[in-house]
Amino acid sequence: MLKIVRAALVPALLFGLTACTDSADSKPKPSGGDPAVAGDPNGGDPNVGDHDQGDPNGGDDNPPVTTCDRTWPIPASGTCELTAGNKAHLLIRGDVLQPTGILAAGELLAVNGIITCVGCDCSQETAYSDAALLTCGKGVVSPGLINAHDHITFTQMSPANHGTERYKHRHEWRKGLNGKTKIPASSNANSTEWGEMRQVMGGATSVFGSGSGQGFMRNLDMSGNALGELSSHNNAEYNTFPLDDSDGTMS
């Protein structure tokens, strides 16, 4: 699933892509280096000196940008403009977030919900010509984010005000143990739709939430409900209290 966001580039979960060949008139152009700054050992380059082992971008907070030789038109209003076409084929144009960096003014083609091409030019793909077209001249195309842990039946609550008090164990705030102040918390199964909508607005498309609402998100730990989520897969297995200490037992 994909999420179109307006401005800030959000961290994205990596996803597999099928490479496609770029045409001669839309070759990618890597971005140039940063200007030198006197007195800065890195020459003013934020891409130097912060390389983290195992990070495909070297720990870089400014991932490399590859710019296609074009710009997409900006809609008169809103972020994107939709041109009707085959509903089973969707061509999205915008700045595409990839595992290795940002593809500016790129294209993404999805056929029957499967991404078949990401690049500067996907026109060689069979489904390209009749696809519904979503042009996002000032939008960013991000992979759908996955919230790997939540308690979605508690999302109706506001953040707790615990002042300067600090807790070293969850039973201290759950049960008020060790002389700490108990923080009240109550679940509400009717809040799940609100919780899912809030997460979708933040860029998430899937969640392990110990509960589910009807709509908005794919609930990866639920199966067999009205949405048919994970109906052909085993449920995710996890345990909120693996030590069997929900009663507040501390060892």
Side-chain angles (χ1 to χ4, degrees):
M1 298 178 71
L2 300 168
K3 177 73 178 177
I4 310 298
V5 295
R6 281 184 179 271
L9 304 184
V10 296
L13 188 77
L14 307 187
F15 60 100
L17 303 175
T18 301
C20 53
T21 304
D22 299 320
S23 64
D25 61 350
S26 60
K27 292 181 180 179
K29 296 180 179 180
S31 59
D34 297 305
V37 176
D40 186 336
N42 295 329
D45 188 352
N47 302 330
V48 177
D50 59 347
H51 301 293
D52 294 343
Q53 186 175 4
D55 186 332
N57 294 326
D60 194 350
D61 293 332
N62 300 295
V65 178
T66 299
T67 303
C68 299
D69 193 15
R70 69 159 78 84
T71 58
W72 297 125
I74 296 176
S77 62
T79 303
C80 303
E81 186 173 45
L82 178 64
T83 303
N86 188 333
K87 294 181 180 180
H89 306 157
L90 178 61
L91 177 63
I92 304 176
R93 292 172 171 172
D95 294 342
V96 184
L97 303 187
Q98 300 184 101
T100 55
I102 302 169
L103 180 65
E107 293 187 327
L108 183 150
L109 180 65
V111 179
N112 296 320
I114 303 298
I115 297 173
T116 60
C117 175
V118 173
C120 285
D121 183 7
C122 292
S123 62
Q124 301 303 312
E125 297 290 323
T126 304
Y128 185 92
S129 59
D130 71 342
L133 175 61
L134 190 64
T135 303
C136 306
K138 59 177 182 180
V140 173
V141 184
S142 168
L145 307 181
I146 295 178
N147 181 347
H149 181 82
D150 211 316
H151 298 263
I152 202 166
T153 57
F154 287 83
T155 54
Q156 86 286 355
M157 299 189 65
S158 301
N161 181 10
H162 52 76
T164 59
E165 192 166 10
R166 295 294 179 263
Y167 301 84
K168 295 182 179 180
H169 195 288
R170 64 174 171 174
H171 293 331
E172 292 179 345
W173 64 261
R174 287 185 66 246
K175 300 291 186 178
L177 301 183
N178 295 335
K180 299 291 185 178
T181 303
K182 179 180 178 179
I183 298 178
S186 60
S187 64
N188 184 349
N190 295 323
S191 70
T192 53
E193 287 81 2
W194 157 250
E196 291 197 357
M197 182 172 65
R198 184 188 68 179
Q199 295 185 53
V200 167
M201 295 300 291
T205 59
S206 304
V207 62
F208 289 85
S210 298
S212 66
Q214 298 300 301
F216 291 112
M217 303 186 76
R218 178 175 289 121
N219 304 100
L220 299 176
D221 53 347
M222 310 297 289
S223 65
N225 61 18
L227 299 180
E229 296 167 347
L230 288 183
S231 59
S232 61
H233 299 75
N234 292 329
N235 287 353
E237 294 184 4
Y238 54 86
N239 192 335
T240 304
F241 295 97
L243 302 179
D244 195 25
D245 60 343
S246 62
D247 61 354
T249 300
M250 298 182 67
S251 57

